[in-house]
Amino acid sequence: MLPESVKPGISLLENDNHGLNLVRWMHQCELMKHYYQADKVFVLQKTDTGYEVIVSAADNSMQFAPGKTFDAEATLLQRMVYSTPDGLNLDLTQGTSDEYPDEFRSVLCILSRPVHWPDGSVFGCLCVLNAHANENQHVSPLMLEPFQILLQQDLTLLCQNYRIEALSMRDANTGMLNHYGFIMMAPRQLNLGRRFGAHCGVIFFELEPTGDFDDEMLKRCHQELANLLLTTLRAADIAAHYDNTKFVLLVFVDLERDLEHIVRRVERIFGQSPLPMSLDYSYRFFTPDSTAKLVAMVDEAKSGLRSSLPKRDD
């Protein structure tokens, strides 16, 4: 299974932070072009919009430049991407040129080899095109295997990096614990509090837009609320950036009304900010003899947020 942050249908060219060395992929295309004495060598990715060229060997025609997209219904490309693992050696002189995209109509033969994500789903394919006959025209596509393996190893490394990033316990934007860090750290603190007879509460705050904002403004809102929460809490309490809009707190209090005081203070101070966001909140109080697990406590507290309430049909 791929990490949630990996979106197979989104082009790698649209993600500046994918961490793949596309320059190395391009150099490999150049190497394959030289080895096969080919006219064109490129890597295609199957995306939500069709088949997109991710990298290609240098070519003055620019017919297969990175970013070039072909229709998702193109039968020829479907054959290449969904071929057997051994790939295809296609003689295009045997077909009708009308069956192919315009860029392929002068091509005599194609060598292709499918490329897969680590979970076995289709990434795309590696393509070698020749528009003239040469002694390598009928070489087996098995010779593409080393390049195919390199691409798939890089995709595996990409997924591993995303998993490691997701498992990191800190949120890069705010410096707080993230969702994973909270689930890892809070149970120990909860058990200590119960052992010493402390009452506790779980509080959720959720940012809600009150005006226009962009990603930079949302980042500022996250940072401002995070700083406010961190200055509000005591040493034994734990706060985390739960998801894109929510923050969660595990706090130890003397009385249930102390939770209300915390909420009102945060709401009042954040409300003085000119940022185009307001706060929704929800909290639950738990006594020391409660046997509820942290996940259940979190779910119960989160259920009171407006975004968690069932939507009514108009």
Side-chain angles (χ1 to χ4, degrees):
M1 186 175 179
L2 298 177
E4 289 184 6
S5 49
V6 173
K7 309 297 183 185
I10 303 299
S11 168
L12 292 181
L13 299 180
E14 295 183 23
N15 183 357
D16 295 331
N17 300 315
H18 53 59
L20 291 176
N21 188 346
L22 295 184
V23 173
R24 181 166 71 148
W25 285 20
M26 183 191 70
H27 288 163
Q28 289 295 318
C29 287
E30 296 281 0
L31 182 62
M32 290 294 102
K33 182 178 179 182
H34 175 74
Y35 175 78
Y36 283 106
Q37 301 175 31
D39 296 291
K40 314 279 192 303
V41 178
F42 53 92
V43 176
L44 278 181
Q45 180 184 354
K46 182 182 180 295
T47 69
D48 292 336
T49 57
Y51 298 97
E52 182 169 344
V53 178
I54 301 301
V55 294
S56 61
D59 174 34
N60 291 333
S61 73
M62 300 298 286
Q63 286 181 308
F64 299 95
K68 172 73 174 180
T69 302
F70 296 93
D71 191 271
E73 302 302 319
T75 305
L76 177 63
L77 301 184
Q78 290 177 351
R79 283 184 66 189
M80 293 190 292
V81 168
Y82 291 100
S83 71
T84 63
D86 291 341
L88 297 175
N89 188 336
L90 299 174
D91 183 355
L92 298 194
T93 63
Q94 302 301 311
T96 304
S97 61
D98 292 343
E99 300 173 6
Y100 313 134
D102 292 342
E103 292 81 359
F104 291 84
R105 290 182 182 175
S106 62
V107 175
L108 295 180
C109 68
I110 298 177
L111 289 177
S112 73
R113 187 130 174 137
V115 178
H116 296 92
W117 289 100
D119 66 347
S121 59
V122 168
F123 170 81
C125 66
L126 168 62
C127 306
V128 177
L129 309 186
N130 263 320
H132 62 279
N134 63 53
E135 60 185 10
N136 292 327
Q137 182 172 339
H138 300 295
V139 174
S140 168
L142 285 172
M143 299 302 291
L144 293 173
E145 184 177 25
F147 188 14
Q148 175 200 30
I149 291 173
L150 181 146
L151 297 178
Q152 293 183 163
Q153 286 175 340
D154 279 359
L155 293 174
T156 298
L157 184 60
L158 165 70
C159 292
Q160 288 175 343
N161 287 340
Y162 275 120
R163 287 191 182 98
I164 291 170
E165 184 179 300
L167 293 178
S168 172
M169 296 190 16
R170 292 284 170 185
D171 172 59
N173 183 26
T174 62
M176 303 174 76
L177 292 173
N178 60 17
H179 177 273
Y180 176 77
F182 183 79
I183 296 300
M184 291 294 292
M185 300 292 290
R188 177 178 179 275
Q189 204 71 2
L190 179 62
N191 289 336
L192 282 174
R194 284 172 171 170
R195 189 179 305 168
F196 290 103
H199 300 77
C200 72
V202 175
I203 306 173
F204 266 92
F205 290 100
E206 182 164 24
L207 290 166
E208 295 183 327
T210 57
D212 295 333
F213 68 95
D214 54 19
D215 290 344
E216 191 60 34
M217 181 61 69
L218 183 61
K219 183 177 179 180
R220 268 190 65 195
C221 294
H222 287 164
Q223 292 170 340
E224 181 137 340
L225 181 55
N227 291 337
L228 173 56
L229 295 179
L230 291 174
T231 57
T232 298
L233 303 184
R234 295 174 295 185
D237 302 333
I238 293 181
H241 191 181
Y242 189 80
D243 65 20
N244 193 44
T245 59
K246 300 181 188 68
F247 291 76
V248 63
L249 286 66
L250 173 68
V251 296
F252 296 93
V253 294
D254 296 320
L255 301 168
E256 184 172 1
R257 67 169 178 264
D258 294 336
L259 296 177
E260 180 72 17
H261 293 159
I262 294 172
V263 165
R264 293 303 179 194
R265 179 177 185 273
V266 171
E267 187 181 37
R268 174 175 53 81
I269 296 176
F270 189 81
Q272 296 170 357
S273 167
L275 298 173
M277 291 279 181
S278 63
L279 286 180
D280 183 26
Y281 64 85
S282 176
Y283 61 85
R284 294 293 185 274
F285 176 74
F286 300 92
T287 58
D289 58 355
S290 170
T291 59
K293 300 295 184 182
L294 178 71
V295 173
M297 295 165 64
V298 166
D299 288 343
E300 186 177 338
K302 186 171 59 173
S303 66
L305 293 171
R306 281 190 285 268
S307 62
S308 299
L309 296 176
K311 300 294 187 296
R312 293 186 303 174
D313 296 329
D314 294 331

